[in-house]
Amino acid sequence: MSNRYEDLVRLWPLALLAFFILISGYAGLWPAVPLAEQPKARSKSLAETTNRVRVEWLVKLPSADGPDLPVSGQVVAEHGGVSAPARLDAASSLSLSLPLVPSSLTDTVDLAFQTQPQLARVGGRFLCLWQYHPTHLHGAGQCILGAWSDDGLAWEAPFLVFKAPGNFGAYRTGDRLLCSSSCLSVEGQWYAVASLQEVVGFGSIDATTFEEAIAVVESEDFPRPVRKILAYTVRRIQLDGSLGPVRTIWRSGESETSERVAESGPGENAATSDSAVEEPLDELERAALSSLTRSLATSGSRFGGAVDFPIPERLTLDRYRLSFPTTETLPGQGQVRLWGSEQGLDRLYSEHSTDGGVTWSPPMPTNLRNSGRFAVLRRLSAGPVLLLGNQSRLPSNPADPLTISIAFEGLQFTESFELRSGAPLLASADGLPEFVRNERRGFQATSCVVDDEWLWVVYSVCGSSIEVSRVSLQDLIPSLLDQGVEPAAEPASS
């Protein structure tokens, strides 16, 4: 017994060292992770100390974020509002004629839910799609709105892209809704895409979002709606801004119509159209729908005729629930996918794939913080990798500020910029369910568009409005000048 005690005494320094490494890694101190800090905490020593990363700051336009915020003249970010606080009129049709100006939110949740925007550049114009519901996040009848812009900052009036599959309401088993997805380019054509989901029951607050319902009726113990992806609805986007007929790619066994695509190729037998009689498929669109099916379906089903769709969730080995993935291809590493957490974990998890996304490694925690629900990973053509999200936070608002972190090698982020901060605090959101409250707070970035000169970031503000910020890459990453890239010219205003 005494020998065992002496062994433990001798090993305590190693145990203390392991504990120190564990705590330092979780705190983001080892390995070092660049995290934005509040302006009042800025110090010149940050740039002069060799063992600390260099932290810089974006200028916030007073007209967008308030007149009292500091302006350094270093990097300019321009902000523009996409959505208006839309309402339903008495005839239950969308009323979207309000002027589009940057939002000025109040300390109330009496605003429509407008969340999870997706930004794309179609031809020479920008198209933004987002999900809308007048009273509930992911409630029955949620629909998809869109808006066009010439420069990504001044936006035209919103319009309905995909109508709600049923009446607007709250949460009941059997209700259906549409959730925004990305715009996809296939066969030389652009398509707006949204997933059609059905509420299949309810689970506890820690339950998975998809396909594992415990109860049929919502209750205090089981408040979280559990959904199943039935299909994807798609519409061809014309370069003149018009939209083609709505087509539906059904999960096998879920179609509610007898209309099917005849003589289809692999995976095409799940494609139908809600107006197939009036708008028959031509060969171009038939090929496009086949490509869309292959890109949306699981790797195990997309070539075999039966179509199934991947669930946008993962469970870690220790049973934490991950969601809202963002994927990018990195040189020498294959595809990298980062996941956020719905259970308050202040870390992003990563997966890797070397076979084009067919198989993935188990999700593992990274040393990258993330206080909001979403993150966006994007590799520039010049090489650097951008991470957009909530890698820093205010104590009172989990998804504030919205930051841009830069990695020049792999995912080793060495600079962090603050893009937006100071989101309204919605005190009345405290009474909402946790999965709703988390998306009602702060700036939640879900998409971006980048070219050789500019970065456009789209995000929701307190789950109530959609806004876009634009940053010059030459200001964000001055080292691009050393690579022979010409300075960005100011785009012509629309």
Side-chain angles (χ1 to χ4, degrees):
M1 178 65 71
S2 60
N3 290 337
R4 291 183 180 180
Y5 177 77
E6 292 174 357
D7 290 340
L8 291 175
V9 171
R10 285 196 299 269
L11 290 176
W12 78 263
L14 293 178
L16 182 62
L17 177 62
F19 178 77
F20 174 77
I21 292 175
L22 177 64
I23 296 300
S24 299
Y26 184 80
L29 301 177
W30 187 87
V33 180
L35 300 178
E37 301 178 14
Q38 294 311 299
K40 64 180 181 181
R42 277 186 256 175
S43 171
K44 292 183 180 180
S45 63
L46 288 179
E48 298 168 354
T49 305
T50 57
N51 63 354
R52 290 288 303 274
V53 297
R54 182 162 56 94
V55 178
E56 300 189 39
W57 301 88
L58 295 177
V59 171
K60 307 171 194 66
L61 293 184
S63 60
D65 286 284
D68 299 327
L69 294 174
V71 176
S72 69
Q74 186 177 31
V75 181
V76 176
E78 299 175 86
H79 311 303
V82 181
S83 69
R87 292 287 189 274
L88 288 179
D89 61 21
S92 297
S93 62
L94 284 172
S95 177
L96 298 167
S97 59
L98 296 177
L100 293 181
V101 296
S103 67
S104 177
L105 300 179
T106 60
D107 295 338
T108 176
V109 295
D110 186 22
L111 293 168
F113 280 87
Q114 301 188 91
T115 56
Q116 299 186 27
Q118 300 293 327
L119 190 64
R121 199 165 191 174
V122 180
R125 306 190 73 200
F126 291 85
L127 176 63
C128 183
L129 306 178
W130 68 96
Q131 55 198 34
Y132 165 85
H133 195 280
T135 57
H136 287 74
L137 176 67
H138 303 318
Q142 181 171 272
C143 62
I144 306 299
L145 304 183
W148 286 98
S149 172
D150 291 327
D151 62 359
L153 291 177
W155 291 84
E156 299 174 1
F159 59 91
L160 187 63
V161 179
F162 294 109
K163 65 181 181 180
N167 296 326
F168 286 100
Y171 311 118
R172 294 179 305 174
T173 299
D175 285 339
R176 294 187 174 185
L177 61 145
L178 288 171
C179 292
S180 60
S181 187
S182 59
C183 294
L184 297 178
S185 177
V186 295
E187 305 295 329
Q189 306 294 322
W190 278 95
Y191 280 80
V193 183
S195 61
L196 174 62
Q197 302 181 10
E198 180 179 81
V199 177
V200 295
F202 297 85
S204 66
I205 194 63
D206 293 327
T208 179
T209 302
F210 290 93
E211 307 212 4
E212 296 182 9
I214 300 175
V216 177
V217 179
E218 179 184 11
S219 66
E220 183 177 351
D221 293 330
F222 304 109
R224 187 184 185 93
V226 178
R227 309 191 299 270
K228 176 172 68 173
I229 299 177
L230 301 179
Y232 279 88
T233 58
V234 302
R235 293 189 78 175
R236 182 177 172 182
I237 306 168
Q238 309 288 358
L239 294 182
D240 63 0
S242 61
L243 300 175
V246 176
R247 312 288 188 183
T248 305
I249 303 173
W250 289 94
R251 175 177 173 172
S252 294
E254 298 291 350
S255 177
E256 295 180 350
T257 175
S258 60
E259 295 290 339
R260 291 283 178 155
V261 178
E263 301 177 0
S264 58
E268 270 188 4
N269 65 334
T272 66
S273 167
D274 62 355
S275 56
V277 176
E278 297 81 3
E279 301 269 359
L281 291 170
D282 57 27
E283 291 303 317
L284 179 62
E285 192 163 13
R286 185 185 299 273
L289 285 175
S290 179
S291 297
L292 283 170
T293 302
R294 287 193 294 269
S295 65
L296 295 171
T298 60
S299 58
S301 70
R302 57 191 176 192
F303 300 112
V307 173
D308 196 9
F309 301 115
I311 297 173
E313 281 191 343
R314 286 290 186 275
L315 287 178
T316 67
L317 296 177
D318 44 2
R319 303 296 293 176
Y320 286 114
R321 187 177 69 254
L322 308 175
S323 59
F324 309 115
T326 177
T327 305
E328 188 56 274
T329 300
L330 301 182
Q333 299 187 40
Q335 287 183 293
V336 177
R337 185 160 60 188
L338 297 181
W339 295 85
S341 168
E342 289 195 39
Q343 294 171 306
L345 298 178
D346 189 18
R347 284 294 178 271
L348 292 172
Y349 279 65
S350 67
E351 293 178 321
H352 297 264
S353 175
T354 57
D355 54 11
V358 177
T359 59
W360 293 88
S361 63
M364 300 298 293
T366 71
N367 62 347
L368 298 172
R369 290 184 177 178
N370 196 62
S371 299
R373 302 184 76 191
F374 306 93
V376 181
L377 195 64
R378 178 58 58 90
R379 180 174 178 265
L380 306 181
S381 59
V385 176
L386 304 180
L387 177 63
L388 315 171
N390 307 111
Q391 276 63 66
S392 182
R393 64 171 293 177
L394 295 172
S396 57
N397 211 345
D400 188 350
L402 174 60
T403 58
I404 305 175
S405 300
I406 306 172
F408 295 92
E409 181 178 354
L411 293 180
Q412 300 301 313
F413 295 94
T414 57
E415 290 185 301
S416 183
F417 296 80
E418 180 182 301
L419 180 59
R420 291 291 298 272
S421 65
L425 296 178
L426 302 182
S428 53
D430 292 338
L432 297 173
E434 181 180 4
F435 71 95
V436 180
R437 182 172 66 248
N438 289 345
E439 204 159 329
R440 269 293 200 197
R441 296 250 167 97
F443 304 97
Q444 304 272 6
T446 49
S447 181
C448 72
V449 167
V450 66
D451 58 22
D452 292 334
E453 298 180 341
W454 300 92
L455 167 69
W456 292 264
V457 183
V458 66
Y459 47 90
S460 64
V461 181
C462 297
S464 300
S465 69
I466 306 300
E467 300 188 18
V468 170
S469 294
R470 184 185 68 186
V471 181
S472 166
L473 291 181
Q474 300 295 347
D475 292 336
L476 186 66
I477 312 176
S479 60
L480 292 179
L481 287 173
D482 299 333
Q483 303 177 23
V485 181
E486 292 297 325
E490 179 72 18
S493 58
S494 58

